[in-house]
Amino acid sequence: MKWANHPAGEARDVWSPPVAARTLTILVAGGAFRVDVGEESVVLRETGDYLLFGPELAHRWQALGAATMLTVRWSSAAAR
């Protein structure tokens, strides 16, 4: 589990390596937050917006506004 406060403009420009876990990321407070997963790009705009994606998917992100995020990862049965 990871709780993070990201200032506007902060980004992970480099693709993260795929991991053998499912990921849930939730916009807890603040501005918009973009997550690129594979070929798709999702923007979380309102408190409570979330993104769930499966194992073995690389991702990157950018805080479009100052944002507080909660990310949870757990083992996937498919990865065992």
Side-chain angles (χ1 to χ4, degrees), residues 5 23 25 38 54 68 80:
N5 293 307
T23 301
T25 190
T68 300
R80 293 181 197 168

Side-chain angles (χ1 to χ4, degrees), residues 4 6 15 18 23 30 37 39 43 48-49:
H6 299 286
W15 289 92
T23 301
V37 179
E39 300 285 321
V43 177
D49 282 356

Side-chain angles (χ1 to χ4, degrees), residues 8-33:
E10 183 178 29
R12 170 181 264 167
D13 295 326
V14 177
W15 289 92
S16 69
V19 294
R22 294 196 182 279
T23 301
L24 171 66
T25 190
I26 305 165
L27 176 61
V28 175
F33 194 87

Side-chain angles (χ1 to χ4, degrees), residues 15 33-44 50-54 57-62:
W15 289 92
F33 194 87
R34 188 190 80 232
V35 183
D36 301 323
V37 179
E39 300 285 321
E40 296 193 39
S41 183
V42 175
V43 177
L44 308 176
Y50 67 92
L51 176 64
L52 174 66
F53 57 94
L57 292 173
H59 69 283
R60 63 184 179 184
W61 51 263
Q62 180 181 16

